Amino acid sequence: MKPIISNTDYRAIYSLIQDLPASQRTKEMGQMQNEIESATKVPDGGLEAGIIRINSYFEVMDLDSGKTFQLRLVMPKMANLAEQKISILSPLGVALIGFGEGMLVDWVLPGGPKRLKILKVDNSPQVSKF
């Protein structure tokens, strides 16, 4: 299963990774680069409503623990866990970008392998009402 991303998100993420000095590149950046290179790219406005992209609000469930998380996927400078904003370059951000509501995603996070289910995705411009 390949992620689906917009051309704008592809360019933003690609530029972000390329602009960082090699000393600041993490394993997750390499994974993100692989994800976006293998992703299906679509014209802006061509993504289905329920696909996670930059600035998406989403709810995801860890199927092993049953815990759910409501988060927003943002550029690294806007990330703030206290505000439930995670970076697109975080392990969870890399795992979920380009996938949509109802999908199951298997990914190795810092806490070990996880099986995640995307419950909801909100891409409306106003504040999410989850």
Side-chain angles (χ1 to χ4, degrees):
M1 179 169 60
K2 292 184 350 179
I4 304 168
I5 62 173
S6 71
N7 291 329
T8 296
D9 280 3
Y10 171 80
R11 287 189 301 273
I13 296 166
Y14 184 84
S15 293
L16 176 68
I17 292 169
Q18 295 306 309
D19 290 346
L20 284 173
S23 63
Q24 293 182 1
R25 294 189 185 189
T26 64
K27 173 181 136 186
E28 287 77 25
M29 286 186 201
Q31 289 174 316
M32 177 59 87
Q33 189 160 2
N34 290 338
E35 285 291 296
I36 66 169
E37 291 300 330
S38 70
T40 300
K41 290 126 190 124
V42 298
D44 295 350
L47 279 179
E48 293 178 23
I51 300 291
I52 296 174
R53 61 197 84 176
I54 296 172
N55 291 317
S56 290
Y57 292 91
F58 62 91
E59 183 174 14
V60 65
M61 176 187 282
D62 177 338
L63 293 177
D64 295 327
S65 70
K67 291 183 182 177
T68 61
F69 304 92
Q70 295 175 351
L71 301 165
R72 183 175 182 194
L73 191 64
V74 298
M75 296 298 279
K77 289 183 179 183
M78 295 182 62
N80 182 334
L81 199 52
E83 296 176 1
Q84 298 176 299
K85 296 177 182 176
I86 63 164
S87 168
I88 58 170
L89 298 179
S90 68
L92 188 59
V94 173
L96 297 177
I97 193 165
F99 295 101
E101 283 183 17
M103 291 183 172
L104 298 176
V105 178
D106 293 310
W107 199 261
V108 178
L109 296 173
K114 297 290 181 187
R115 187 162 178 82
L116 307 167
K117 182 170 184 175
I118 301 168
L119 302 175
K120 296 179 190 175
V121 178
D122 182 354
N123 285 303
S124 56
Q126 76 277 0
V127 176
S128 176
K129 300 202 179 357
F130 281 171

